[in-house]
Amino acid sequence: MTALLEVEGLNSGYGRLQVLHDFSVAVEQSTITAVLGANGAGKSTMLKSLSGLVRPTSGKVVFDGEDITKLPVEALIQRGFTHVPEGGGVIPELTVEENLRLGGLWRTGPSAAKTTADAIDEVYDLFERLRERRTFHGHQLSGGERQMLALGRALVAKPKMVLLDEPSLGLAPPIVARIMALLRDLRDQQGLTVLLVEQNVGSALGIADEGVVISVGKVVTRGPAADLQSDVKLRHAYLGF
Ligand code: ATP
């Protein structure tokens, strides 16, 4: 099997602060990979370095056989590579529907509006709650609704792969469970590939195929999610539980 995403020897950071050190990872198509590690390990920086929000100083990101390392964010979205940043990036002044429409802005041509409207309908089928709240503004939503909207907006772009940064942050356990179940269904039914950064280790490994543990900007362990979940020493050493 060839990987959908291959990251090779990425070095990245902020000015003189180097956060990622020779970071490499491969993600197979239609799988969920959980990225775990302590606060400050470099998980968010890794996602930003893949999606062009932070520019790596060296290394290579290959998506679907193409070197995307230097492509602008819009070009990545067009290729089906979408990043949902920490906090979701929902625009508080826009309505749910307007936020969702942003997910289709990259489309051009005569059928763009219709394709996006259809994609939004599919998102409403996944999240009835968003349909009910379509005229609400971002700032009127609960944390769980905002996170669903952020994920929904990414899905409007019809991605092959999503990078998710802490989708469960601050949410009540039943909502976390819903989001995790949804990700699992998207993988199983639509073949979506997911790179999932989570502090909520149990929930993430519960749905993941693979787990990757990062410490100080490097992969220290990777393996089947079930193996990582039962590895007590590893959990003590890197995950703090
Ligand atoms: P957390 O779970 O706390 O978000 P993380 O593993 O995602 O942790 P990062 O957010 O990638 O870690 O942070 C890695 C390092 O980079 C930390 O030392 C952090 O202080 C630093 N850092 C993060 N964002 C910036 C930024 N915009 N400018 C400068 N340094 C940053």
Side-chain angles (χ1 to χ4, degrees):
M1 225 180 353
T2 50
L4 181 64
L5 178 76
E6 279 178 275
V7 181
E8 290 166 26
L10 219 55
N11 289 293
S12 188
Y14 309 91
R16 269 188 287 170
L17 175 67
Q18 184 172 351
V19 177
L20 295 188
H21 302 269
D22 198 23
F23 180 89
S24 298
V25 76
V27 178
E28 304 293 340
Q29 186 153 2
S30 307
T31 61
I32 298 175
T33 298
V35 180
L36 312 170
N39 284 341
K43 303 178 298 295
S44 298
T45 304
M46 185 271 289
L47 294 189
K48 289 181 198 161
S49 302
L50 301 185
S51 70
L53 297 177
V54 169
R55 285 290 166 200
T57 45
S58 62
K60 200 156 92 164
V61 183
V62 176
F63 176 66
D64 215 1
E66 181 186 10
D67 185 343
I68 60 163
T69 321
K70 296 201 166 75
L71 292 185
V73 175
E74 316 79 73
L76 299 183
I77 295 170
Q78 278 171 359
R79 284 159 176 76
F81 189 76
T82 304
H83 180 186
V84 181
E86 191 170 330
V90 162
I91 301 190
E93 298 80 11
L94 297 183
T95 64
V96 165
E97 177 109 3
E98 288 164 344
N99 268 286
L100 289 174
R101 251 186 255 136
L102 295 177
L105 274 189
W106 58 276
R107 294 195 174 98
T108 54
S111 57
K114 165 91 172 72
T115 310
T116 294
D118 290 347
I120 290 175
D121 259 342
E122 286 173 31
V123 167
Y124 284 148
D125 290 342
L126 287 175
F127 301 109
E128 264 316 308
R129 187 78 178 157
L130 293 182
R131 179 175 273 132
E132 287 161 24
R133 307 220 146 195
R134 64 204 295 168
T135 59
F136 281 49
H137 289 86
H139 64 81
Q140 294 173 293
L141 303 179
S142 68
E145 290 164 350
R146 264 203 303 278
Q147 204 49 256
M148 286 174 197
L149 178 54
L151 184 56
R153 186 175 59 191
L155 295 177
V156 168
K158 294 271 174 177
K160 292 180 189 149
M161 177 162 191
V162 289
L163 313 179
L164 293 176
D165 201 346
E166 304 266 6
S168 78
L169 197 69
L171 302 183
I175 301 172
V176 176
R178 260 212 76 199
I179 290 181
M180 295 298 155
L182 179 81
L183 293 175
R184 198 184 47 212
D185 291 351
L186 289 166
R187 172 196 62 192
D188 295 344
Q189 288 156 24
Q190 299 184 19
L192 187 69
T193 307
V194 180
L195 192 58
L196 173 65
V197 164
E198 262 298 341
Q199 294 282 349
N200 204 328
V201 177
S203 299
L205 288 178
I207 59 159
D209 302 281
E210 290 277 314
V212 174
V213 182
I214 302 186
S215 178
V216 203
K218 259 185 191 306
V219 174
V220 286
T221 304
R222 65 164 304 161
D227 293 358
L228 295 191
Q229 206 157 15
S230 57
D231 188 334
V232 175
K233 255 199 252 164
L234 174 100
R235 284 176 13 195
H236 284 310
Y238 297 109
L239 305 174
F241 75 104

